[in-house]
Amino acid sequence: MPTSRTGRPPVQRASRRPAVSRPLPENPVQRLYTRARKAWDRPLTAYYLILGGSLLITVLGLVMVYSASQITALQMSLPGSFFFRKQFLAAVIGGVLLLIASRMPVKLHRALAYPILAGAVFLMALVQVPGIGMSVNGNQNWISLGGSFQIQPSEFGKLALVLWAADLLARKQDRKLLTQWKHMLVPLVPVAFLLLGLIMLGGDMGTAIILTAILFGLLWLAGAPTRLFVGVLSIAGLIGMILIKTSPNRMARLACIGATEPRAGGADCWQAVHGIYALASGGIFGSGLGASVEKWGQLPEAHTDFIFAVTGEELGLAGTLSVLALFAALGYAGIRVAGRTEDPFVRYAAGGVTTWITAQAVINIGAVLGLLPIAGVPLPLFSYGGSALLPTMFAVGLLIAFARDDPAARMALSMRQPRFGRKRAGGAVPARGPRRWNTMRRRAPSARSSGER
């Protein structure tokens, strides 16, 4: 054993451990992005987006209907809250329909497809019977229910087309018939053209455009080949051009796209121009709730088709962007539900409802911004009109039911602990232990653990 110069054994020094590289601390922005991405990927994200987004749009719409309709009601010698009370009643009934639709099983939705279609066709045909149908703003699309209550059956035709077409395409997909073009088109396209014909008899081209968008959305989801898709689109475009060319009113609406003067090219663009004036005078945060100037008789249909313009004037750019964000979240959630399901009926129905709401919102907002012709369609869940609100809220209930029916979402909902425990007969609250994975597997054999609490 070697010794040191002093004769003592050398002191054994501890060997140095290799330095362990520590991960760099995550900056706050990256940490926030990571947490947001994890929250976005949770199985209940679509469920919360649909439920929360639709309720926020409806509540904000009630506020704006009350603000935008006061002057119109007073000009008609009615109480200032007249239109708000009717819209609130429709929202309450629509909320009940939403709750019922969100709790109904998929089989019951499919069973209701044919009765709803038959009822919609009957009511849409009844509109054309003299003495029953009513004309509002030049469109023969209304039925009076007595007093100040009216119903527009064409709004229920959208829901009927979505449910019936989803059931039809799902049954054909189960039988592997969608690979043949005749099974993809028949009877879907003829029935859709029947509904379009009944709508166009009353002159409501705006609703016909929404129905056409739903038809093309369903064909795209069904995997229609490009040639077939382009062929149907060409026929619909040709019919639309003929209908526009033969109507001076529709030609005038086309001339008002991007207009900045009330008389642009000889066309009366008063409504389109004053909608732009309302948006331009709102600024960033608006003039304040209830402080709109354009609603004092300058802007026609301030509480219906052009309620988005009043929103921009009173709530400013911040308010309009908030409305756009809510519709974008609702559309994303609908696409997510349609893309993650294995049930063909759920995929077609969710895709049809999403196409319906987003297309109608784009057409309405595009008309207010002067980018599209004024089609006379309301902003979904936002504008005044019970006939439009009721079927739309039922359709939102469909999306909620489909989002809850996802296996991962069912797993996450079953793992959530209730805030207040249920007491037994003796009054003692059982101890809460961790749920066993085997128990969860028996409840949802094909689902994965979401880890959501």
Side-chain angles (χ1 to χ4, degrees):
M1 180 177 181
T3 60
S4 63
R5 294 181 181 179
T6 59
R8 297 178 182 177
V11 179
Q12 305 234 344
R13 297 181 179 179
S15 60
R16 294 184 178 179
R17 296 181 181 178
V20 180
S21 60
R22 297 180 179 179
L24 295 175
E26 205 173 23
N27 59 47
V29 176
Q30 188 175 3
R31 190 184 309 116
L32 181 62
Y33 171 77
T34 304
R35 294 181 62 181
R37 186 174 181 180
K38 289 181 179 180
W40 198 256
D41 290 335
R42 289 181 177 179
L44 287 177
T45 298
Y47 169 74
Y48 288 130
L49 284 178
I50 296 170
L51 179 61
S54 59
L55 291 181
L56 285 175
I57 294 173
T58 305
V59 171
L60 182 58
L62 286 172
V63 174
M64 293 311 304
V65 165
Y66 180 67
S67 175
S69 64
Q70 285 181 326
I71 307 304
T72 303
L74 293 175
Q75 289 175 344
M76 300 171 63
S77 301
L78 297 171
S81 60
F82 175 78
F83 294 105
F84 168 76
R85 286 181 292 176
K86 291 182 62 178
Q87 185 74 357
F88 182 76
L89 177 61
V92 171
I93 299 174
V96 175
L97 293 177
L98 184 149
L99 181 62
I100 293 174
S102 64
R103 295 294 179 176
M104 288 169 54
V106 175
K107 291 183 179 180
L108 185 54
H109 285 302
R110 299 187 69 167
L112 290 176
Y114 281 86
I116 292 178
L117 177 65
V121 171
F122 174 75
L123 291 176
M124 291 167 69
L126 202 63
V127 168
Q128 306 305 323
V129 177
I132 298 179
M134 293 181 57
S135 178
V136 177
N137 294 331
N139 292 336
Q140 183 84 11
N141 280 317
W142 298 83
I143 296 177
S144 176
L145 299 180
S148 61
F149 292 93
Q150 303 166 350
I151 186 174
Q152 188 177 3
S154 57
E155 292 291 340
F156 295 88
K158 304 172 187 176
L159 177 63
L161 179 62
V162 168
L163 284 177
W164 174 80
D167 178 69
L168 174 71
L169 294 173
R171 287 188 288 108
K172 290 196 173 188
Q173 180 173 330
D174 292 338
R175 299 177 184 178
K176 304 185 185 307
L177 297 176
L178 291 181
T179 55
Q180 306 176 30
W181 67 269
K182 60 180 181 180
H183 284 287
M184 186 173 292
L185 294 181
V186 180
L188 174 60
V189 175
V191 171
F193 279 6
L194 171 63
L195 296 175
L196 289 171
L198 291 173
I199 292 173
M200 289 308 301
L201 282 177
D204 188 3
M205 192 168 184
T207 305
I209 293 175
I210 305 300
L211 225 67
T212 305
I214 295 173
L215 173 62
F216 284 116
L218 291 169
L219 288 176
W220 182 78
L221 288 171
T226 305
R227 291 179 298 175
L228 184 63
F229 201 84
V230 172
V232 178
L233 182 61
S234 301
I235 295 174
L238 180 61
I239 295 175
M241 288 180 60
I242 294 174
L243 292 174
I244 293 174
K245 286 286 186 180
T246 55
S247 174
N249 183 32
R250 296 180 186 130
M251 289 297 297
R253 293 186 180 187
L254 280 177
C256 292
I257 297 178
T260 57
E261 296 293 335
R263 300 293 298 181
D268 185 8
C269 302
W270 181 273
Q271 186 180 24
V273 171
H274 279 271
I276 298 296
Y277 289 169
L279 292 172
S281 61
I284 302 298
F285 298 105
S287 58
L289 192 63
S292 170
V293 175
E294 291 293 333
K295 69 182 181 183
W296 286 76
Q298 300 294 327
L299 180 63
E301 306 297 334
H303 60 297
T304 55
D305 302 344
F306 271 69
I307 194 172
F308 189 76
V310 179
T311 304
E313 185 178 4
E314 295 187 350
L315 303 183
L317 182 63
T320 55
L321 290 181
S322 300
V323 175
L324 291 176
L326 289 173
F327 276 109
L330 190 59
Y332 165 80
I335 294 174
R336 177 167 170 167
V337 170
R340 294 194 175 189
T341 184
E342 298 295 333
D343 189 337
F345 173 79
V346 173
R347 180 167 63 254
Y348 293 131
V353 171
T354 305
T355 303
W356 163 13
I357 295 177
T358 53
Q360 187 164 327
V362 167
I363 291 174
N364 178 276
I365 295 174
V368 174
L369 295 176
L371 304 176
L372 295 173
I374 299 174
V377 295
L379 191 58
L381 301 173
F382 201 84
S383 296
Y384 170 79
S387 295
L389 185 63
L390 295 182
T392 306
M393 294 194 75
F394 187 89
V396 171
L398 284 177
L399 291 179
I400 294 174
F402 298 155
R404 289 171 56 93
D405 196 56
D406 181 74
R410 288 202 308 267
M411 172 88 65
L413 287 173
S414 63
M415 292 175 66
R416 294 177 60 185
Q417 299 288 348
R419 180 170 297 181
F420 301 103
R422 295 181 179 178
K423 295 184 178 181
R424 293 182 177 179
V429 179
R432 300 188 183 278
R435 294 179 181 268
R436 293 185 301 172
W437 171 247
N438 293 335
T439 304
M440 299 307 299
R441 287 184 60 186
R442 286 197 296 269
R443 291 186 180 181
S446 61
R448 297 180 299 172
S449 177
S450 64
E452 181 167 348
R453 296 295 183 269

